[in-house]
Amino acid sequence: MIPITVVDVRDAEDLVVEVLRSGAIAQGPMVKRFEDAFAAVSGTKHAIAVNSGTTALVAALQVLDLKPGDEVVTSPFTFVATLNAILEAGATVRFADIRRDDFALDPDAVTAAVTDRTKVLMPVHLYGQTADMGKLVPLAAEHGLQVIEDSAQAVGASFEGKQAGSFGIGCFSLYATKNITTAEGGIVTTDDDALADRLRVLRNQGMRARYQYETAGHNYRMTDLHAAVGIPQLAKLDQLTAARQANAKRLSEGLAGTPGLDTPQVLPGREHVWHQYTVLVGPHAFLSRDELAAALTERGVGNGIYYPKVVFDYDCYADHDLIPGARVEDFPVARAVSEQALSLPVHPQLTESDLDTIIDTVRELLGA
């Protein structure tokens, strides 16, 4: 089986052993070292390490002091953590449809979704390419909105030379399958000194110093063990990204012209870091998306469906009072994409033979 993703953290062995031998494995100097390296990568003044990408989103919302009824506009085509974080923060969720070319928020749809209660715009940089920040940032400024970037899948991505996570408050996931992983973990990035200070206090049970409580906080801390896993990867992020980009280029060239298949686009001014290589299997393809996924698995080509439904289209959200009036049919692009999206392997460990197999198998199954 050619896997959809491969986790390789062997370069971290020496740092992990160093932490273990130190006898101090909770948040400490290794976390600070990781934060400094991540701030440099993201082009921001501050990077605050936390224990998951979901926590990063929750903490970013909490330090904005949202009130009941305050709204966050975000994408309906995303991982459920985006929605869960907004609900945990006690905010009201408003969705806006996406664009088919970048799988991210459509600025025109955002304009229609904003109300006088909207306080935050939360674009999702999906699959490793940023949303259209050239339009979304001015739109947020026009309406007086804070920008929180769900950059979970976009470490190293950029829009017109500016890094994902540097347009507002950036929230990154370091989960095992991400381009940079600490197994579990997250990062919040910001250039705002006051927000960074509040985030650091918040993650440590509201303590500035031991038993010096300043707010009702949480345990959002990352451990030195987790940070040690991530540091060597940050050092070779450019190399890892280049491998993903080369693999994506090869896939797009090989799959071009396959009947019923749309390959992903790299839009002008954006650097795509290819967390996922996601094709769209159209309604006139020889096989449906689900049929193609099953056939690829049977042939030994790993794949993934990210995501099979719009995010709120599950029974557990049907009557949630913080999701007012969301209906699947109100988001036709997101709904169509959720029925057609299929991710193929693009990770750095792929061989030339693997890439040939992926291309040949997809083309054969779709009648090319």
Side-chain angles (χ1 to χ4, degrees):
M1 175 68 73
I2 301 172
I4 184 66
T5 190
V6 171
V7 180
D8 183 357
V9 294
R10 289 171 293 179
D11 288 351
E13 289 178 3
D14 290 345
L15 286 182
V16 170
V17 170
E18 180 183 329
V19 173
L20 291 172
R21 287 177 174 168
S22 75
I25 61 176
Q27 180 180 299
M30 203 66 75
V31 170
K32 178 63 166 59
R33 181 174 164 185
F34 181 71
E35 290 175 330
D36 291 345
F38 201 99
V41 164
S42 63
T44 57
K45 190 174 181 180
H46 303 280
I48 299 92
V50 292
N51 51 30
S52 75
T54 307
T55 295
L57 290 167
V58 172
L61 288 161
Q62 288 174 330
V63 295
L64 295 182
D65 295 325
L66 300 179
K67 305 295 189 296
D70 287 349
E71 298 172 350
V72 179
V73 174
T74 195
S75 170
F77 186 63
T78 182
F79 183 54
V80 73
T82 308
L83 174 55
N84 286 342
I86 297 169
L87 299 180
E88 184 173 342
T92 296
V93 188
R94 291 189 66 85
F95 294 103
D97 209 356
I98 64 170
R99 293 186 348 198
R100 189 178 174 91
D101 57 359
D102 62 6
F103 305 109
L105 282 173
D106 182 336
D108 292 335
V110 170
T111 299
V114 170
T115 75
D116 58 1
R117 300 302 304 270
T118 306
K119 303 299 181 185
V120 177
L121 174 59
M122 186 183 284
V124 180
H125 303 323
L126 206 61
Y127 303 141
Q129 183 167 223
T130 71
D132 188 350
M133 303 308 284
K135 293 182 178 179
L136 292 173
V137 170
L139 192 160
E142 177 185 349
H143 293 279
L145 309 180
Q146 296 276 0
V147 175
I148 296 179
E149 301 168 66
D150 185 339
S151 304
Q153 302 178 6
V155 59
S158 64
F159 181 92
E160 296 182 351
K162 189 171 172 62
Q163 296 295 309
S166 68
F167 290 89
I169 304 174
C171 297
F172 294 84
S173 171
L174 303 168
Y175 180 64
T177 59
K178 297 299 189 291
N179 293 25
I180 296 293
T181 179
T182 59
E184 289 279 8
I187 286 275
V188 185
T189 55
T190 180
D191 287 326
D192 188 310
D193 294 343
L195 283 179
D197 181 69
R198 291 192 65 190
L199 285 161
R200 292 187 178 104
V201 171
L202 179 69
R203 75 173 170 186
N204 191 34
Q205 296 290 11
M207 292 188 291
R208 183 170 300 281
R210 191 166 179 81
Y211 303 130
Q212 180 186 334
Y213 300 104
E214 295 189 358
T215 187
H218 305 269
N219 177 4
Y220 289 161
R221 297 183 298 266
M222 176 184 283
T223 72
D224 268 17
L225 280 173
H226 287 90
V229 172
I231 289 169
Q233 295 168 64
L234 281 176
K236 59 179 183 179
L237 177 60
D238 288 347
Q239 173 188 338
L240 294 170
T241 300
R244 288 177 178 272
Q245 290 170 336
N247 290 344
K249 184 173 185 290
R250 175 77 180 281
L251 289 170
S252 290
E253 290 173 349
L255 293 173
T258 303
L261 192 76
D262 290 339
T263 55
Q265 301 180 47
V266 181
L267 297 179
R270 307 189 208 186
E271 180 162 10
H272 202 316
V273 297
W274 299 103
H275 172 62
Q276 298 290 351
Y277 182 90
T278 302
V279 299
L280 294 175
V281 184
H284 303 298
F286 183 71
L287 298 176
S288 71
R289 187 271 310 276
D290 291 353
E291 290 170 339
L292 178 60
L296 286 170
T297 300
E298 186 177 343
R299 298 284 192 94
V301 176
N303 58 89
I305 297 174
Y306 313 111
Y307 301 95
K309 295 183 179 182
V310 292
V311 70
F312 60 83
D313 192 26
Y314 296 88
D315 290 345
C316 58
Y317 300 114
D319 298 317
H320 204 294
D321 58 3
L322 297 182
I323 310 176
R327 300 179 304 171
V328 176
E329 55 268 26
D330 293 333
F331 309 99
V333 179
R335 182 179 188 180
V337 168
S338 73
E339 294 171 349
Q340 298 174 16
L342 181 67
S343 295
L344 303 173
V346 74
H347 54 81
Q349 281 71 36
L350 293 172
T351 66
E352 291 296 315
S353 176
D354 290 337
L355 291 164
D356 287 340
T357 298
I358 295 166
I359 292 165
D360 292 345
T361 306
V362 172
R363 291 182 62 83
E364 177 188 347
L365 290 171
L366 291 181

